[in-house]
Amino acid sequence: MQISRNVSVVALATVFLLGGCASRGPVPTFYDFGPAAPLAAMPPGTPPVPVLVIADANGPSWLDSQRMYYRLLYADAQQSRPYAYNRWNTPPLQLLSQRLKTRVAQSGVKVLSTTDAAAGVPLLRIDVDDFSQNFDTQTQSSGHVSLRASLFRGHRLLDQKTFSRSGQAASADAQGGAQALASASDAVAADLLAWLGTLNLPKE
C-alpha cells in the first residue's frame, strides 16, 4: 500500500513538472540585420565629408525595445501589433544607428561618436519616424523605414532631409520582415550618403 502511494505521488509530480514545461510556450527567435555587405563601387574622389559625428538615433519609445512590430494595412492601419515569439537582438534604434554608422564609415568617412566629437566637426542627428513591417494582404508585406536626418555644425543647422524606403519581404512572417527592414535600412543609408555628397559644407 505504501509503495503504491509513493508511486502515485511521483507520477503526480511528474505530471505537474511536464505541465509546467509545456506552459512556457515556444522559445523566442531573435533577428538582426546580418553582416553589412560591401558597398557598391564608390565614385572616385574624396568621401562626402572627411569626418562626421553620428549621434545615436532617436525615435518613439516602442522602437527602444526588442519587440518586432507589424501592421495589417488591409485590416487596421492604425494598429501596431507585436509578434508573439519573435524579437530583435537589439532594439531597432540601436540596430539602425549601427548600420548607418557602418555604411558611412564604409564610404571612407571617419565616423566619431558624440563623446569623441571635436570642435567644428559636423554632427549628424537621426530621428526615426517609422520602422515596421506592413502587410498589404495576408501574404504580401514590406519593411518600411522613415527617418529625418539633420546636419549640424555647432548649434547651426546646415541642412535637413527626410528619407523613406521600403523593402519587399520574401515571406509573410517575422523572418521576411527582418530581411526587408535590413534592405530598407541599407537603401536609406545609400540615400543618406548621396545627400551628404551634394552638400558644400562651409568651413569654420
Side-chain angles (χ1 to χ4, degrees), residues 9-177:
V9 171
V10 171
L12 186 60
T14 301
V15 169
F16 279 118
L17 179 60
L18 292 176
C21 292
S23 65
R24 292 176 186 174
V27 176
T29 301
F30 291 88
Y31 295 94
D32 57 25
F33 286 172
L39 284 178
M42 296 292 293
T46 58
V49 290
V51 185
L52 185 64
V53 176
I54 302 181
D56 290 337
N58 297 307
S61 58
W62 59 273
L63 290 178
D64 203 19
S65 76
Q66 291 176 257
R67 306 198 77 173
M68 299 181 73
Y69 287 89
Y70 64 93
R71 294 179 187 274
L72 303 179
L73 300 184
Y74 62 89
D76 186 357
Q78 281 70 47
Q79 185 176 1
S80 181
R81 310 161 191 257
Y83 278 103
Y85 301 113
N86 298 280
R87 301 284 187 274
W88 292 109
N89 273 338
T90 305
L93 289 177
Q94 296 181 32
L95 278 176
L96 189 55
S97 295
Q98 188 55 52
R99 181 51 63 97
L100 292 177
K101 291 177 183 180
T102 297
R103 288 306 193 192
V104 172
Q106 285 178 329
S107 74
V109 177
K110 293 180 174 63
V111 176
L112 303 179
S113 67
T114 52
T115 56
D116 298 325
V121 176
L123 180 145
L124 183 68
R125 191 178 72 192
I126 302 296
D127 295 288
V128 182
D129 295 318
D130 192 21
F131 183 94
S132 59
Q133 182 181 9
N134 298 328
F135 282 83
D136 295 311
T137 68
Q138 291 183 356
T139 58
Q140 292 184 332
S141 71
S142 59
H144 183 70
V145 176
S146 179
L147 59 82
R148 183 172 62 261
S150 305
L151 189 65
F152 292 87
R153 192 193 291 274
H155 297 289
R156 182 157 52 104
L157 177 65
L158 301 178
D159 203 354
Q160 184 180 88
K161 188 174 178 65
T162 297
F163 300 92
S164 294
R165 281 286 194 153
S166 295
Q168 195 66 32
S171 56
D173 53 17
Q175 181 179 7

